[in-house]
């Protein structure tokens, strides 16, 4: 029996190869895999000796040969194939263990284009696809995690079962599809083409979820193949707590996205049902958290918390006072972990030091949403275009009002439309959103904020279509307003702001969030 091994990921390679030899396999290999096996004392034959053809073009052509692909693709149940293989001296290859050149890792390293191009594997995908196509006679292994199961079946029943060969086939085609999708995505990025004519996505399953948004829906979590430099939920380390749910992951991502709007100072964000219910900054993290929680303590119960500095014992103690679903932070002190260990179901995620950096910023990436029969793709609303705010009222905002408006504006783009946010310079005071008209959003925020809205700034994610929303905001006590502008009634809105003595700033940028 012949087995061909040629892998870039050499985890478990030597024990697997040794197991195959014990079971009577003769091994073929190339390049670094060949040297690794020889170095471990595993008997192995070079592919060029088997094919009686030299490796050429600097190693670009090694396995592209009839004695390799004929050995893999031969339909052994057909007498004609068997006779033809015999006539050409082609021996069947019954096991192929291949994983592909490290293309993604090379791209992530920042390598120049020629080096990246050389990491586009040709022979590897050809062997994987050929082996998967002929799964009835060939076991194809692309993942080192499958080595033990394959060896176990060979040891116990002298063959790999058809169920396993079919599973390995599915995995193999997914492997090459994801590999090609990564190449396509890189080429599109190099060409400055974010929306190519054909879209292929490459993600790896991180975990199966207990269920989706509701218990009757199935769910799974997929992530990119390589961790980005920026902090993400997908690559955060889970330190304790119950298994993350579909809704937990959505809320953690929303919390992290809003938190990254405030990198310069200790900040706390509390999210409930994908909506901010508490946001604050302070010189001390514990104060930022307590202030954020005080915005809406009822909604904070069962919420998701994001913090952008290491969690200390005081902050941990404050969080332990309220039932929370999950917390994401750069890191946790040993004392904080000891305090939070008592909350056994509380999910703790460690996002890494990048989250604590004053230079931390959201990733510039694409957002995808499925619709019936299709998909919508757009730039994520993470970086605002560099436009200048324009004062259009008679009164310009004071420095303190401008600070409050900028805080409100950052929060506003993370609230569902029609979004209305009241804020001071260092905290969210109240928000209203997800309504079918803007004036209702204002009234909901007024009901939540009450007297705390006196002297506040109000932000609107899109223009006020009528002055009624602005009139209500003024009645609530807001002294300044920031909004995109662009309505046919802008002049009427500006006049209303002047009538109320409010400062009004137009951003020229809309932040709808449907």
């Amino acid at each position: 029996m012949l087995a061909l091994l040629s892998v870039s990921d050499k985890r478990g390679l030597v024990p697997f190869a040794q197991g195959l030899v014990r079971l009577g396999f003769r091994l073929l290999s190339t390049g670094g895999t060949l040297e690794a096996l020889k170095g471990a004392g595993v008997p192995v034959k070079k592919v060029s000796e088997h094919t009686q053809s030299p490796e050429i073009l600097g190693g670009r052509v090694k396995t592209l040969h009839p004695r390799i692909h004929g050995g893999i693709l031969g339909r052994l149940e057909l007498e004609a194939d068997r006779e033809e293989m015999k006539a050409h001296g082609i021996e069947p290859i019954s096991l192929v263990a291949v994983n592909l050149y490290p293309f993604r890792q090379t791209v992530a390293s920042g390598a120049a284009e020629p080096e990246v191009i050389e990491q586009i594997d040709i022979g590897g995908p050809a062997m994987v696809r050929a082996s998967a196509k002929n799964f009835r006679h060939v076991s194809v292994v692309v993942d080192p995690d499958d080595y033990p199961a394959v060896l176990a079946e060979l040891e116990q029943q002298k063959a790999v079962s058809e169920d396993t060969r079919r599973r390995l086939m599915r995995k193999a085609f997914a492997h090459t599809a994801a590999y090609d999708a990564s190449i396509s995505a890189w080429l599109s990025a190099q060409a400055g083409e974010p929306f190519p004519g054909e879209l292929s996505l490459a993600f790896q399953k991180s975990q199966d979820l207990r269920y989706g948004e509701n218990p009757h829906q199935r769910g799974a979590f997929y992530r990119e193949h390589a961790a980005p430099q920026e902090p993400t939920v997908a690559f955060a380390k889970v330190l304790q707590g119950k298994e993350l749910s579909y809704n937990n992951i959505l809320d953690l991502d929303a919390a992290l996205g809003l938190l990254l709007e405030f990198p310069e100072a200790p900040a706390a964000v509390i999210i409930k049902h994908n909506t901010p219910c508490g946001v604050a900054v302070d010189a001390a993290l514990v104060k930022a958290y307590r202030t954020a929680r005080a915005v809406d303590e009822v909604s904070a119960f069962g919420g998701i918390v994001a913090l952008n500095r290491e969690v200390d014992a005081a902050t941990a103690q404050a969080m332990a006072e309220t039932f929370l679903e999950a917390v994401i932070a750069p890191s946790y002190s040993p004392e904080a972990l000891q305090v939070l260990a008592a909350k056994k179901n509380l999910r703790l995620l460690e996002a890494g030091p990048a989250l604590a950096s004053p230079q931390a910023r959201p990733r510039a990436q694409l957002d995808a949403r499925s619709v019936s029969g299709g998909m919508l793709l757009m730039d994520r609303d993470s970086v605002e275009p560099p436009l200048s705010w324009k004062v259009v009222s008679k009164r310009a905002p004071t420095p303190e009002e401008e600070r409050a408006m900028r805080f409100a504006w950052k929060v506003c783009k993370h609230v569902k439309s029609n979004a209305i946010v009241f804020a001071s310079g260092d905290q969210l005071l109240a928000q209203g959103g997800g309504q079918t008209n803007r004036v209702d959003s204002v009234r909901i925020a007024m009901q939540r904020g009450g007297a705390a809205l006196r002297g506040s700034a109000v932000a609107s994610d899109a223009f006020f279509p009528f002055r009624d929303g602005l009139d209500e905001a003024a009645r609530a006590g807001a002294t300044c307003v920031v909004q995109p502008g662009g309505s046919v009634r802008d002049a009427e809105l500006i006049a209303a702001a002047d009538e109320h003595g409010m400062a009004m700033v137009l951003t020229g940028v809309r932040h709808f969030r449907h």
Side-chain angles (χ1 to χ4, degrees):
M1 294 183 292
L2 272 183
L4 193 156
L5 281 62
S6 181
V7 295
S8 60
D9 182 351
K10 295 179 175 55
R11 290 179 296 125
L13 170 67
V14 170
F16 182 56
Q18 290 169 334
L20 292 175
V21 170
R22 283 196 306 271
L23 291 164
F25 279 87
R26 290 175 291 118
L27 306 185
L28 302 176
S29 193
T30 64
T33 306
L34 179 77
E35 295 306 314
L37 293 176
K38 282 185 173 180
V42 179
V44 60
K45 187 176 183 179
K46 192 173 184 179
V47 162
S48 60
E49 295 173 4
H50 177 75
T51 61
Q52 298 179 10
S53 294
E55 295 182 6
I56 62 172
L57 304 180
R60 280 188 165 193
V61 180
K62 299 188 286 284
T63 58
L64 298 170
H65 192 280
R67 285 191 175 175
I68 296 299
H69 284 275
I72 292 172
L73 284 165
R75 295 164 292 184
L76 303 182
E77 75 278 13
L78 299 182
E79 184 178 354
D81 277 17
R82 294 197 306 271
E83 291 295 328
E84 193 170 358
M85 291 170 71
K86 183 178 179 180
H88 293 285
I90 296 173
E91 187 175 353
I93 297 173
S94 57
L95 187 145
V96 173
V98 171
N99 46 63
L100 310 178
Y101 290 174
F103 176 83
R104 300 184 190 93
Q105 295 90 324
T106 305
V107 170
S109 74
E113 182 180 273
E115 185 178 349
V116 174
I117 293 293
E118 283 306 307
Q119 293 303 317
I120 297 177
D121 204 336
I122 303 300
M127 287 190 291
V128 169
R129 290 173 61 83
S131 304
K133 178 175 180 176
N134 202 27
F135 75 96
R136 296 187 186 280
H137 301 289
V138 183
S139 300
V140 57
V141 188
V142 297
D143 184 353
D145 290 342
D146 288 317
Y147 292 164
V150 171
L151 274 182
E153 288 196 14
L154 288 169
E155 289 168 350
Q156 293 165 13
Q157 53 203 39
K158 308 305 179 186
V160 179
S161 68
E162 182 174 338
D163 283 348
T164 297
R165 281 183 275 114
R166 284 183 178 275
R167 178 178 66 82
L168 294 173
M169 171 191 65
R170 295 192 298 271
K171 200 166 187 176
F173 279 120
H175 184 64
T176 56
Y179 190 78
D180 285 341
S182 296
I183 295 169
S184 175
W186 176 75
L187 291 171
S188 294
Q190 293 295 103
E193 185 183 29
F195 308 113
E198 293 282 343
L199 177 66
S200 299
L201 301 177
F203 289 86
Q204 191 172 42
K205 186 160 71 173
S206 173
Q207 66 186 95
D208 287 307
L209 301 173
R210 286 178 296 156
Y211 50 81
E213 199 163 15
N214 297 290
H216 64 279
Q217 296 168 278
R218 293 176 295 178
F221 184 31
Y222 288 78
R223 67 183 185 184
E224 297 171 359
H225 284 266
Q229 293 182 342
E230 301 89 346
T232 65
V233 172
F235 288 92
K237 183 179 179 181
V238 180
L239 302 182
Q240 74 165 49
K242 294 193 298 184
E243 179 185 343
L244 289 171
S245 72
Y246 182 97
N247 293 329
N248 290 156
I249 293 167
L250 280 179
D251 285 341
L252 283 162
D253 187 62
L256 183 62
L258 177 49
L259 185 69
L260 288 169
E261 301 280 358
F262 303 98
E264 298 85 2
V269 168
I270 305 175
I271 293 285
K272 190 70 169 288
H273 295 173
N274 231 231
T275 300
C277 61
V279 187
V281 297
D282 198 285
L285 188 65
V286 63
K287 291 183 179 178
Y289 169 72
R290 288 191 177 279
T291 301
R293 186 179 65 188
V295 172
D296 186 350
E297 296 208 32
V298 173
S299 295
F301 182 87
I304 302 288
V305 174
L307 306 162
N308 66 353
R309 298 293 186 269
E310 179 173 271
V311 178
D312 53 20
T315 307
Q317 190 60 56
M319 289 194 294
E321 296 167 0
T322 302
F323 168 68
L324 301 171
E325 287 279 355
V327 179
I328 186 167
S331 57
Y332 302 80
S333 72
E335 296 79 11
L337 288 174
Q338 187 174 358
V339 170
L340 295 172
K343 301 283 187 177
K344 297 188 183 300
N345 289 333
L346 174 63
R347 305 154 175 94
L348 294 185
L349 280 74
E350 185 175 83
L355 181 54
S357 169
Q359 285 75 46
R361 291 293 184 273
R363 293 184 69 194
Q365 64 182 102
L366 298 178
D367 261 341
R369 294 178 70 174
S370 63
V371 296
S372 295
M375 176 178 286
L376 292 166
L377 201 65
M378 69 173 180
D379 293 321
R380 175 167 285 193
D381 190 11
S382 56
V383 180
E384 187 163 316
L387 301 177
S388 298
W389 286 12
K390 180 181 179 182
V391 178
V392 292
S393 55
K394 291 179 180 177
R395 183 176 74 79
T398 66
E400 184 58 32
E401 285 177 328
E402 182 176 349
R403 182 166 165 262
M405 283 194 291
R406 291 195 179 275
F407 191 103
W409 187 243
K410 288 178 179 180
V411 176
C412 192
K413 74 177 184 181
H414 296 267
V415 176
K416 297 288 186 182
S417 297
N418 292 300
I420 294 292
V421 167
F422 289 85
S424 67
D426 53 17
Q427 72 169 98
L428 169 67
L429 297 173
Q431 56 79 19
Q435 304 303 305
T436 52
N437 68 77
R438 196 161 298 277
V439 70
D440 277 352
S441 292
V442 178
R443 288 167 179 160
I444 289 169
M446 289 170 62
Q447 182 180 3
R448 288 173 172 166
L453 304 187
R454 296 290 171 190
S456 65
V458 62
S460 174
D461 65 341
F463 60 68
F464 287 94
F466 303 98
R467 65 171 288 169
D468 52 1
L470 186 66
D471 290 337
E472 290 289 277
R475 188 167 68 86
T479 63
C480 54
V481 56
V482 53
Q483 55 122 336
S487 166
V488 294
R489 293 185 174 84
D490 271 356
E492 180 182 337
L493 267 293
I494 294 168
D498 289 336
E499 180 181 322
H500 293 299
M502 302 173 77
M504 178 179 282
V505 171
L506 303 185
T507 67
V509 179
R510 188 183 74 186
H511 285 302
F512 270 159
R513 192 176 185 86
H514 283 83

